[in-house]
Amino acid sequence: MPAAAAAVAAGLATGPGSRVTRFAKSTAASVTPVRPGKTHTLSPLDNAMECHTVHVVLYCRAAPGLDREPLKESLSEALSLYPAMTGRLTRREGGEGAPAEAEPAQRGWVVKCNDAGVRMVDARAAATLDEWLATATGDEEMDLLYYEPMGPEPYIWSPFYVQLTEFADKSYALGLSCTHIHNDPTAAALFFQAWAAAHRRTTSTYPPFLHAPAFEVSPTSPPPPPPLLADKSSAASPAGADAAPMSSATFHFPAPAVRALLSSLEPGTTPFAALAALFWLRITGAADGERELTLALDFRKRMYAPLPWGYYGSVVHFTRARADLASGLPAVAAALDAHVAGVPEEDLWRAVEWLHARQQQQEGGPTGPFQMYGPELTCVALDHVPMYGAEFEAGAPPARVSCRVGGAAGEGLVIVLPAAEGGEARDVVVTLPAEATARVCGDGEVLRHGAQVVFGAKAGKEA
């Protein structure tokens, strides 16, 4: 094998015993060129997510029009609506194309929309889709995704990676990985809506809304730090060598199981609060006294002037809920619901203003990126996001959608998602220290409430 080919093959390799074989890497470009000099400014919320990545997998059953080359063609069509996706990151101050004396309002990352394209990986899985869903572990699912961390030259690094994995029955897994600087989980998941619409040669229900000024702020004086962000920015992130290995698992709660769970709680309890409370209790143990749980909420539709679903960027607000875990599941779930309902929009704007001010501090100050998801246990509410509308063939929604957030080392992450059958059904994806993941997968209370472990636990690679 030539040296160049060997290097590519080594870079695409999966772990020993993996059923996924990656065999080619290429670049997917937009079919519509971007005008020269176009840039996309990133908001303070975007810039704050430098430590994190987003990973979404859509499982699509075999269909007459679902094949590798047509998928690549429709991807290029969809990318014409997202010029920022095919661009490259650069720093405003002292970076490529930006003077060192840049105005403070210009500091931070910016996207140079230069049509460089997104990286694409071709792969095959030695299993049918149903065999995979029945037997794959949470860590093995990560083989359906490909991502390369940013290197020393960000202007040549692709922030987006797409992996097309063909199963033995001609079904496909479509894996999207990207830096959280560009997109939050909602935006990443809804990109598939545009891709599916392009594949069907129609328009997306949720067209992209690339409007960075939505979060432009100009505080007259540095605002006080929100307590949660102050704690996060001063906390030491788990060191790579010393951090506990993380492992993932997915739990499916059918609609009857969720309805039965809700019937045992206070009237009006939401599925998110019920499941977040259940996993909080089972992960930490029903300790005495008040404890805190960080919640990550999508604020698109919680704002006085709501943003479109298709807003391109991060609209994740982190807030800290409190509850007495010894009071039992009904009371804990009620406390979470009450907290979520009471989070004011002003808290989001205070966070944006503080992140903006921190971003503008001169180089050399304590302004480096810090962990937003963690290191404390964090629960993400995504069960309101219309993830199953991405029909690459009309009338055939995805068989399953999975979502992870990378960089959530520490106590871990719980993500509540919609499930394929809709209604009250939910999926819960956990990324925890490997020992905790294995324990929760066999937890009697979780299983008693109707959980089906779809992707089980196995210590290994980090999500």
Side-chain angles (χ1 to χ4, degrees):
M1 180 183 294
V8 171
L12 295 178
T14 52
S18 173
R19 291 178 287 177
V20 176
T21 302
R22 302 186 183 117
F23 59 88
K25 184 194 289 187
S26 59
T27 298
S30 166
V31 297
T32 305
V34 177
R35 64 171 173 79
K38 181 178 176 61
T39 60
H40 176 74
T41 303
L42 295 164
S43 77
L45 284 175
D46 297 328
N47 276 277
M49 299 298 182
E50 191 168 340
C51 294
H52 301 289
T53 52
V54 179
H55 309 274
V56 180
V57 180
L58 258 70
Y59 293 95
C60 301
R61 294 198 178 277
L66 197 71
D67 207 353
R68 195 176 299 274
E69 291 309 314
L71 284 168
K72 291 182 178 181
E73 292 173 8
S74 56
L75 174 61
S76 292
E77 293 282 352
L79 290 175
S80 66
L81 303 174
Y82 291 85
M85 282 185 66
T86 58
R88 294 295 180 261
L89 288 170
T90 186
R91 287 285 192 185
R92 276 291 192 183
E93 79 267 45
E96 180 187 307
E101 65 274 13
E103 292 297 322
Q106 294 178 315
R107 293 185 183 277
W109 289 109
V110 65
V111 181
K112 187 175 182 179
C113 302
N114 57 5
D115 283 327
V118 304
R119 295 283 185 262
M120 171 164 283
V121 170
D122 290 293
R124 294 190 183 92
T128 66
L129 175 57
D130 286 333
E131 289 170 346
W132 179 271
L133 295 177
T135 61
T137 65
D139 298 318
E140 192 175 14
E141 187 181 38
M142 292 302 293
D143 288 339
L144 304 178
L145 296 152
Y146 183 84
Y147 187 75
E148 295 177 4
M150 183 191 298
E153 300 174 311
Y155 54 87
I156 64 172
W157 170 74
S158 175
F160 286 84
Y161 296 81
V162 175
Q163 179 171 318
L164 300 181
T165 305
E166 181 183 353
F167 291 99
D169 60 351
K170 303 300 181 183
S171 296
Y172 273 87
L174 313 180
L176 174 70
S177 296
C178 66
T179 171
H180 207 316
I181 296 172
H182 265 267
N183 265 339
D184 63 11
T186 298
L190 292 184
F191 166 72
F192 285 98
Q193 302 266 358
W195 185 1
H199 196 78
R200 301 194 320 270
R201 301 195 178 279
T202 186
T203 56
S204 174
T205 307
Y206 308 102
F209 182 74
L210 287 83
H211 188 61
F215 284 102
E216 279 189 355
V217 292
S218 298
T220 55
S221 60
L228 177 56
L229 293 186
D231 290 347
K232 286 180 176 295
S233 64
S234 61
S237 295
D242 301 328
M246 307 293 282
S247 185
S248 292
T250 298
F251 300 82
H252 175 61
F253 288 83
V258 176
R259 286 195 292 269
L261 172 60
L262 295 177
S263 70
S264 67
L265 307 178
E266 293 187 11
T269 301
T270 64
F272 169 72
L275 292 170
L278 174 63
F279 278 86
W280 187 15
L281 286 165
R282 303 318 301 169
I283 291 169
T284 63
D288 291 332
E290 278 201 331
R291 298 285 291 271
E292 294 180 331
L293 175 68
T294 296
L295 303 178
L297 307 177
D298 181 339
F299 243 76
R300 280 171 175 77
K301 299 302 180 184
R302 296 173 61 96
M303 300 169 70
Y304 176 75
L307 287 169
W309 274 122
Y311 174 81
Y312 182 93
S314 292
V315 200
V316 180
H317 177 58
F318 294 86
T319 179
R320 193 153 47 191
R322 299 177 66 88
D324 181 359
L325 300 192
S327 62
L329 180 59
V332 173
L336 292 182
D337 258 338
H339 181 84
V340 170
V343 178
E345 184 178 346
E346 288 75 16
D347 284 4
L348 170 68
W349 288 107
R350 278 194 286 268
V352 173
E353 289 176 358
W354 181 76
L355 290 168
H356 171 84
R358 188 177 188 274
Q359 178 183 314
Q360 307 319 316
Q361 292 179 22
Q362 292 294 328
E363 189 174 355
T367 60
F370 59 90
Q371 206 176 334
M372 295 289 281
Y373 294 84
E376 74 280 3
L377 184 65
T378 303
C379 190
V380 187
L382 290 177
D383 55 333
H384 60 290
V385 179
M387 294 185 171
Y388 286 87
E391 297 183 358
F392 284 80
E393 294 295 314
R400 183 173 295 280
V401 178
S402 177
C403 180
R404 319 273 184 95
V405 175
E411 293 183 22
L413 195 64
V414 177
I415 303 178
V416 181
L417 301 166
E421 60 264 45
E424 296 94 342
R426 296 291 187 272
D427 287 341
V428 177
V429 180
V430 302
T431 302
L432 306 168
E435 182 179 349
T437 304
R439 175 169 49 81
V440 173
C441 281
D443 185 272
E445 278 298 296
V446 172
L447 299 177
R448 184 178 71 81
H449 286 293
Q452 302 168 1
V453 182
V454 182
F455 295 112
K458 180 182 177 182
K461 66 187 72 172
E462 180 184 351

